[in-house]
Amino acid sequence: MAMTNVTGLRVGVVGCGYWGSKHIRVLHSLESVGTIAVIDPNPDRALQLSRNYPALEAYKDLDEAIPHLDAVIIATPPSTHKPLALKAIAAGVHVMVEKPLATNAADAREMIAAAEAAGVVLMVGHTFEYHSAVWQLREMVQKKELGDLYYLDTARLNLGLYQHDCNVLFDLAPHDVSILNYVLGATPVSVQCWSSHHANSKLEDVGYLRLHYKEPDVTANVHVSWLDPCKVRRVTMVGSQKMVIFNDLASEERIKVHDKGVSQGPQLGDDLTQPPMSYRYGDVVSPHLVMNEPLMVEDEHFVDCILTGLTPLTSGANGLAVVEVLEAAQISAREGREVLIEEVRASQQAVGGLR
């Protein structure tokens, strides 16, 4: 394992575009980080970042940087996650990979096994699991404040941003699948998916997923799109007692709890003049949230896990659970059927047994 610098961790960021530059800003504020390295083949990116952070080290690729690192954050296109992570792990360097962990479950399992064998931290960047509003949603479910859960619904829509090497499912759905898994404290047993491509001839830009969870027994719907006129970042949870909406784009009152519901009215035989359901309308409450910067909490947690040996909240296993859902969704969209998560696991075990 790489030795920790006595003056602080030496952390590299591979890929310094949109997310990579944000990680550099956050790492710069962490006392436990002594050295930050920019790892990007484009020298202009390192030059631009060095104007705000003059002490940055710059390397053109991971091979050049590895001897100078204790840990690395990989913020590159998904198809590069596995080879970059395995290279760092083989050198004893701790790794955090931006979502999704990998482009298929087999690769995710290989990354997890390699990290375990090397004794290094492997963490995935499921940033919303470090969001105070999502913590609040999980607490509501655990305390059964909504009553019996009827269903959950998420929407992550915008006009763009199209990616080069992954479709909208692998780009946007990891956020919502990780939120749902975290809030429910469970993983789905099956997935149905409908996806289509319109503006792009090769990559799907619109997708709908239906996830069925067993414990608790509830269905969640996920809508993702690169082709929508409105930017939407919303999670809705509907229960027998209350309903809640988390709007991540709201500047205030990001969570609103609606004390409203519906129940079946008394059976009055053939009297069709009576409404079949009764409706209850109550207050709308916005609970106080101690707002945090999820990326700051996430990067701090990564550093703490390296220094203390803790298992990350969003460990490799956490990332694998999301990738399994995405892989099942791809199969479902292609074959037009519901796909059990166990099918994905059994398929990977069969492949592993042939090696």
Side-chain angles (χ1 to χ4, degrees):
M1 186 185 301
M3 296 301 294
T4 301
N5 192 322
V6 293
T7 59
L9 286 175
R10 303 169 298 174
V11 184
V13 178
V14 187
C16 296
Y18 179 79
W19 278 109
S21 61
K22 289 180 180 293
H23 281 290
I24 288 170
R25 173 183 59 78
V26 169
L27 291 170
H28 190 262
S29 68
L30 300 182
E31 292 184 1
S32 299
V33 176
T35 305
I36 304 170
V38 176
I39 305 165
D40 197 298
N42 184 347
D44 291 339
R45 286 181 173 172
L47 180 62
Q48 291 170 1
L49 288 165
S50 66
R51 291 170 183 166
N52 292 324
Y53 313 105
L56 288 178
E57 297 180 357
Y59 301 94
K60 68 178 185 298
D61 57 38
L62 186 57
D63 287 318
E64 184 182 33
I66 275 180
H68 311 283
L69 300 178
D70 300 309
V72 67
I73 296 174
I74 298 173
T76 55
S79 60
T80 66
H81 288 180
K82 175 191 171 183
L84 289 172
L86 290 181
K87 183 175 292 186
I89 290 168
V93 173
H94 304 283
V95 177
M96 179 164 76
V97 184
E98 270 298 345
K99 58 80 189 169
L101 179 61
T103 56
N104 60 70
D107 285 356
R109 291 181 186 279
E110 187 175 346
M111 293 159 69
I112 292 169
E116 289 177 350
V120 299
V121 171
L122 175 62
M123 177 169 156
V124 63
H126 289 161
T127 312
F128 279 95
E129 295 193 39
Y130 301 91
H131 197 305
S132 59
V134 176
W135 296 343
Q136 181 77 37
L137 297 181
R138 178 182 170 96
E139 185 177 340
M140 289 179 182
V141 171
Q142 290 177 332
K143 292 183 176 180
K144 299 187 179 300
E145 293 180 15
L146 308 181
D148 295 329
L149 279 178
Y150 285 163
Y151 72 92
L152 297 89
D153 188 276
T154 75
R156 193 166 299 272
L157 322 172
N158 202 4
L159 190 60
L161 294 165
Y162 281 78
Q163 304 298 311
H164 294 289
D165 70 336
C166 70
N167 60 23
V168 71
L169 298 177
F170 273 82
D171 180 43
L172 297 183
H175 287 309
D176 296 299
V177 175
S178 68
I179 289 171
L180 292 167
N181 286 358
Y182 178 74
V183 167
L184 295 173
T187 57
V189 294
S190 67
V191 182
Q192 282 182 283
C193 177
W194 301 264
S195 62
S196 54
H197 53 82
H198 302 278
N200 188 297
S201 61
K202 295 181 179 179
L203 298 174
E204 294 88 347
D205 43 25
V206 180
Y208 298 85
L209 295 83
R210 180 177 296 156
L211 314 181
H212 180 220
Y213 291 80
K214 191 172 183 180
E215 294 292 340
D217 186 6
V218 68
T219 296
N221 304 300
V222 176
H223 180 197
V224 290
S225 177
W226 287 331
L227 198 59
D228 195 279
C230 300
K231 184 173 183 178
V232 178
R233 300 286 184 268
R234 185 180 63 239
V235 177
T236 304
M237 302 195 306
V238 176
S240 59
Q241 299 300 318
K242 295 180 181 180
M243 307 174 184
V244 61
I245 296 174
F246 162 40
N247 179 6
D248 193 41
L249 299 182
S251 57
E252 297 180 358
E253 299 183 340
R254 291 193 177 184
I255 287 184
K256 290 186 177 181
V257 182
H258 298 253
D259 185 11
K260 59 172 57 175
V262 62
S263 58
Q264 191 166 359
Q267 298 298 317
L268 299 176
D270 296 329
D271 185 0
L272 300 182
T273 63
Q274 300 299 318
M277 308 296 290
S278 61
Y279 301 87
R280 175 175 52 79
Y281 299 93
D283 295 332
V284 179
V285 177
S286 183
H288 173 70
L289 295 174
V290 178
M291 292 310 299
N292 60 1
E293 183 184 0
L295 191 67
M296 176 73 75
V297 179
E298 178 184 78
D299 285 0
E300 263 189 315
H301 182 58
F302 178 49
V303 169
D304 287 344
C305 288
I306 293 170
L307 296 176
T308 65
L310 288 173
T311 299
L313 169 65
T314 52
S315 63
N318 178 294
L320 170 62
V322 171
V323 173
E324 286 177 336
V325 172
L326 300 177
E327 187 168 340
Q330 295 280 67
I331 297 171
S332 174
R334 184 173 62 246
E335 300 182 2
R337 65 180 180 89
E338 181 179 18
V339 175
L340 299 176
I341 298 298
E342 281 300 327
E343 293 182 51
V344 174
R345 292 172 182 163
S347 174
Q348 297 307 323
Q349 289 170 357
V351 171
L354 294 175
R355 292 177 180 172

